[in-house]
Amino acid sequence: MYTAEITRPSRRPTNLSLDNALLKEAKALGINVSRAAEAGIAEAVKRYKQERWLKENAQAVASSNAYVEANGLPLARHRQF
């Protein structure tokens, strides 16, 4: 039987400058600031990559959309819905 190996990402201590009031409030609420910062950075990276992909592929997307507008969906006659 195959068992998947679970790997944890390596972590590195990092210094961040954060708003003092926000940090105090987060700690008072029991928020893990490191994990929250990591989640926020991960979301920012994801959004940046999405935006970059859209910019890099804008011409291809526009071309595909123009084709569908002019000719309809390819293989539309085979759709069963």
Side-chain angles (χ1 to χ4, degrees), residues 17-49:
S17 296
L18 302 172
D19 179 270
N20 193 40
L22 183 61
L23 184 58
K24 284 181 181 180
E25 187 174 8
K27 286 186 177 189
L29 294 169
I31 294 172
N32 182 327
V33 176
S34 293
R35 298 291 181 187
E38 185 176 6
I41 292 168
E43 182 62 30
V45 166
K46 178 182 171 183
R47 271 186 308 203
Y48 177 84
K49 286 180 175 181

Short mmCIF file of all heavy atoms in Angstrom, two decimals, residues 17-49:
data_model
loop_
_atom_site.label_atom_id
_atom_site.label_comp_id
_atom_site.label_asym_id
_atom_site.label_seq_id
_atom_site.Cartn_x
_atom_site.Cartn_y
_atom_site.Cartn_z
N SER A 17 8.11 44.58 10.46
CA SER A 17 7.65 45.77 11.17
C SER A 17 6.13 45.82 11.02
O SER A 17 5.62 45.87 9.91
CB SER A 17 8.27 47.03 10.58
OG SER A 17 9.67 46.99 10.76
N LEU A 18 5.43 45.78 12.15
CA LEU A 18 3.98 45.77 12.14
C LEU A 18 3.44 46.92 12.99
O LEU A 18 4.11 47.38 13.92
CB LEU A 18 3.45 44.44 12.69
CG LEU A 18 3.92 43.19 11.96
CD1 LEU A 18 3.49 41.95 12.73
CD2 LEU A 18 3.37 43.16 10.55
N ASP A 19 2.23 47.34 12.67
CA ASP A 19 1.57 48.37 13.45
C ASP A 19 1.42 47.89 14.89
O ASP A 19 0.91 46.80 15.14
CB ASP A 19 0.20 48.66 12.83
CG ASP A 19 -0.56 49.71 13.61
OD1 ASP A 19 -1.29 49.31 14.54
OD2 ASP A 19 -0.41 50.89 13.29
N ASN A 20 1.91 48.68 15.84
CA ASN A 20 1.94 48.28 17.24
C ASN A 20 0.55 47.98 17.80
O ASN A 20 0.34 46.97 18.47
CB ASN A 20 2.63 49.37 18.08
CG ASN A 20 2.96 48.88 19.47
OD1 ASN A 20 3.39 47.75 19.65
ND2 ASN A 20 2.77 49.74 20.46
N ALA A 21 -0.43 48.83 17.51
CA ALA A 21 -1.78 48.63 18.02
C ALA A 21 -2.39 47.35 17.45
O ALA A 21 -3.04 46.59 18.16
CB ALA A 21 -2.65 49.83 17.70
N LEU A 22 -2.16 47.13 16.18
CA LEU A 22 -2.69 45.93 15.53
C LEU A 22 -2.05 44.67 16.12
O LEU A 22 -2.73 43.68 16.38
CB LEU A 22 -2.43 45.99 14.02
CG LEU A 22 -2.98 44.85 13.19
CD1 LEU A 22 -4.50 44.76 13.29
CD2 LEU A 22 -2.55 45.02 11.74
N LEU A 23 -0.76 44.73 16.36
CA LEU A 23 -0.06 43.59 16.95
C LEU A 23 -0.58 43.28 18.35
O LEU A 23 -0.83 42.12 18.68
CB LEU A 23 1.44 43.87 16.98
CG LEU A 23 2.34 42.74 17.47
CD1 LEU A 23 2.17 41.50 16.62
CD2 LEU A 23 3.79 43.20 17.47
N LYS A 24 -0.78 44.32 19.16
CA LYS A 24 -1.32 44.12 20.51
C LYS A 24 -2.71 43.50 20.46
O LYS A 24 -3.04 42.59 21.23
CB LYS A 24 -1.37 45.44 21.27
CG LYS A 24 -0.03 45.91 21.77
CD LYS A 24 -0.17 47.21 22.54
CE LYS A 24 1.18 47.70 23.02
NZ LYS A 24 1.08 48.97 23.76
N GLU A 25 -3.54 44.00 19.56
CA GLU A 25 -4.90 43.48 19.44
C GLU A 25 -4.89 42.02 18.99
O GLU A 25 -5.63 41.18 19.51
CB GLU A 25 -5.72 44.32 18.47
CG GLU A 25 -7.18 43.94 18.42
CD GLU A 25 -8.00 44.89 17.57
OE1 GLU A 25 -7.43 45.77 16.89
OE2 GLU A 25 -9.23 44.74 17.60
N ALA A 26 -4.03 41.69 18.02
CA ALA A 26 -3.94 40.32 17.54
C ALA A 26 -3.51 39.38 18.66
O ALA A 26 -4.07 38.30 18.84
CB ALA A 26 -2.96 40.24 16.37
N LYS A 27 -2.51 39.80 19.43
CA LYS A 27 -2.04 38.97 20.53
C LYS A 27 -3.12 38.81 21.60
O LYS A 27 -3.30 37.74 22.17
CB LYS A 27 -0.76 39.55 21.13
CG LYS A 27 0.44 39.32 20.24
CD LYS A 27 1.73 39.76 20.90
CE LYS A 27 2.89 39.44 19.99
NZ LYS A 27 4.19 39.64 20.62
N ALA A 28 -3.87 39.89 21.89
CA ALA A 28 -4.95 39.82 22.88
C ALA A 28 -6.04 38.86 22.43
O ALA A 28 -6.69 38.22 23.26
CB ALA A 28 -5.53 41.21 23.11
N LEU A 29 -6.24 38.74 21.14
CA LEU A 29 -7.26 37.84 20.60
C LEU A 29 -6.74 36.42 20.43
O LEU A 29 -7.48 35.52 20.01
CB LEU A 29 -7.77 38.37 19.26
CG LEU A 29 -8.54 39.68 19.32
CD1 LEU A 29 -8.77 40.24 17.93
CD2 LEU A 29 -9.86 39.48 20.05
N GLY A 30 -5.47 36.21 20.71
CA GLY A 30 -4.89 34.88 20.59
C GLY A 30 -4.56 34.47 19.17
O GLY A 30 -4.48 33.28 18.87
N ILE A 31 -4.37 35.44 18.32
CA ILE A 31 -4.05 35.15 16.92
C ILE A 31 -2.57 34.83 16.81
O ILE A 31 -1.72 35.56 17.34
CB ILE A 31 -4.42 36.35 16.02
CG1 ILE A 31 -5.94 36.54 16.03
CG2 ILE A 31 -3.90 36.16 14.60
CD1 ILE A 31 -6.40 37.80 15.33
N ASN A 32 -2.24 33.77 16.11
CA ASN A 32 -0.85 33.43 15.82
C ASN A 32 -0.38 34.37 14.72
O ASN A 32 -0.72 34.21 13.55
CB ASN A 32 -0.74 31.96 15.38
CG ASN A 32 0.68 31.54 15.11
OD1 ASN A 32 1.51 32.32 14.67
ND2 ASN A 32 0.94 30.27 15.37
N VAL A 33 0.38 35.37 15.12
CA VAL A 33 0.77 36.44 14.20
C VAL A 33 1.63 35.89 13.05
O VAL A 33 1.47 36.31 11.90
CB VAL A 33 1.50 37.58 14.95
CG1 VAL A 33 1.99 38.65 14.01
CG2 VAL A 33 0.58 38.18 16.00
N SER A 34 2.51 34.96 13.35
CA SER A 34 3.36 34.40 12.30
C SER A 34 2.52 33.69 11.24
O SER A 34 2.72 33.88 10.04
CB SER A 34 4.37 33.41 12.89
OG SER A 34 5.28 34.08 13.70
N ARG A 35 1.57 32.88 11.68
CA ARG A 35 0.71 32.15 10.73
C ARG A 35 -0.20 33.11 9.97
O ARG A 35 -0.45 32.92 8.78
CB ARG A 35 -0.13 31.10 11.45
CG ARG A 35 0.66 30.04 12.14
CD ARG A 35 1.36 29.14 11.16
NE ARG A 35 2.10 28.13 11.90
CZ ARG A 35 2.91 27.28 11.36
NH1 ARG A 35 3.12 27.31 10.08
NH2 ARG A 35 3.55 26.41 12.10
N ALA A 36 -0.70 34.13 10.65
CA ALA A 36 -1.57 35.10 9.98
C ALA A 36 -0.77 35.88 8.93
O ALA A 36 -1.27 36.12 7.83
CB ALA A 36 -2.18 36.05 11.01
N ALA A 37 0.45 36.26 9.28
CA ALA A 37 1.29 36.97 8.31
C ALA A 37 1.60 36.07 7.12
O ALA A 37 1.54 36.50 5.96
CB ALA A 37 2.58 37.44 8.97
N GLU A 38 1.91 34.81 7.40
CA GLU A 38 2.20 33.86 6.33
C GLU A 38 1.00 33.69 5.41
O GLU A 38 1.13 33.68 4.19
CB GLU A 38 2.61 32.52 6.93
CG GLU A 38 3.04 31.50 5.91
CD GLU A 38 3.54 30.21 6.55
OE1 GLU A 38 3.44 30.05 7.79
OE2 GLU A 38 4.02 29.37 5.80
N ALA A 39 -0.19 33.58 5.99
CA ALA A 39 -1.41 33.43 5.19
C ALA A 39 -1.65 34.67 4.33
O ALA A 39 -2.03 34.56 3.16
CB ALA A 39 -2.61 33.17 6.09
N GLY A 40 -1.41 35.85 4.91
CA GLY A 40 -1.59 37.09 4.16
C GLY A 40 -0.60 37.21 3.02
O GLY A 40 -0.95 37.62 1.91
N ILE A 41 0.64 36.83 3.27
CA ILE A 41 1.66 36.89 2.22
C ILE A 41 1.34 35.87 1.13
O ILE A 41 1.48 36.16 -0.06
CB ILE A 41 3.06 36.66 2.82
CG1 ILE A 41 3.44 37.85 3.71
CG2 ILE A 41 4.11 36.46 1.72
CD1 ILE A 41 4.66 37.61 4.58
N ALA A 42 0.90 34.68 1.53
CA ALA A 42 0.54 33.66 0.54
C ALA A 42 -0.59 34.15 -0.36
O ALA A 42 -0.57 33.95 -1.58
CB ALA A 42 0.13 32.36 1.24
N GLU A 43 -1.58 34.82 0.23
CA GLU A 43 -2.69 35.37 -0.55
C GLU A 43 -2.21 36.47 -1.50
O GLU A 43 -2.63 36.54 -2.65
CB GLU A 43 -3.78 35.90 0.37
CG GLU A 43 -4.99 36.45 -0.34
CD GLU A 43 -5.74 35.42 -1.18
OE1 GLU A 43 -5.72 34.23 -0.84
OE2 GLU A 43 -6.36 35.83 -2.19
N ALA A 44 -1.31 37.32 -1.02
CA ALA A 44 -0.77 38.39 -1.86
C ALA A 44 0.03 37.81 -3.03
O ALA A 44 -0.07 38.31 -4.16
CB ALA A 44 0.11 39.32 -1.02
N VAL A 45 0.81 36.76 -2.79
CA VAL A 45 1.58 36.11 -3.85
C VAL A 45 0.63 35.51 -4.88
O VAL A 45 0.82 35.65 -6.09
CB VAL A 45 2.53 35.04 -3.26
CG1 VAL A 45 3.09 34.13 -4.35
CG2 VAL A 45 3.65 35.71 -2.48
N LYS A 46 -0.43 34.84 -4.40
CA LYS A 46 -1.41 34.24 -5.30
C LYS A 46 -2.07 35.28 -6.19
O LYS A 46 -2.17 35.10 -7.41
CB LYS A 46 -2.47 33.51 -4.46
CG LYS A 46 -3.57 32.87 -5.27
CD LYS A 46 -4.59 32.23 -4.34
CE LYS A 46 -5.81 31.77 -5.09
NZ LYS A 46 -6.83 31.21 -4.20
N ARG A 47 -2.51 36.39 -5.59
CA ARG A 47 -3.14 37.47 -6.37
C ARG A 47 -2.18 38.05 -7.39
O ARG A 47 -2.55 38.31 -8.53
CB ARG A 47 -3.66 38.56 -5.46
CG ARG A 47 -5.07 38.34 -4.99
CD ARG A 47 -5.52 39.53 -4.22
NE ARG A 47 -4.47 39.74 -3.22
CZ ARG A 47 -4.60 40.37 -2.08
NH1 ARG A 47 -5.72 40.91 -1.78
NH2 ARG A 47 -3.63 40.49 -1.23
N TYR A 48 -0.92 38.27 -6.97
CA TYR A 48 0.08 38.84 -7.88
C TYR A 48 0.29 37.91 -9.07
O TYR A 48 0.32 38.36 -10.22
CB TYR A 48 1.40 39.06 -7.14
CG TYR A 48 2.49 39.57 -8.05
CD1 TYR A 48 2.60 40.93 -8.34
CD2 TYR A 48 3.39 38.70 -8.65
CE1 TYR A 48 3.58 41.40 -9.19
CE2 TYR A 48 4.38 39.16 -9.50
CZ TYR A 48 4.47 40.51 -9.77
OH TYR A 48 5.45 40.96 -10.62
N LYS A 49 0.41 36.60 -8.81
CA LYS A 49 0.61 35.65 -9.91
C LYS A 49 -0.59 35.62 -10.84
O LYS A 49 -0.43 35.53 -12.06
CB LYS A 49 0.87 34.25 -9.34
CG LYS A 49 2.25 34.08 -8.76
CD LYS A 49 2.42 32.65 -8.23
CE LYS A 49 3.81 32.38 -7.74
NZ LYS A 49 3.95 30.98 -7.26
#
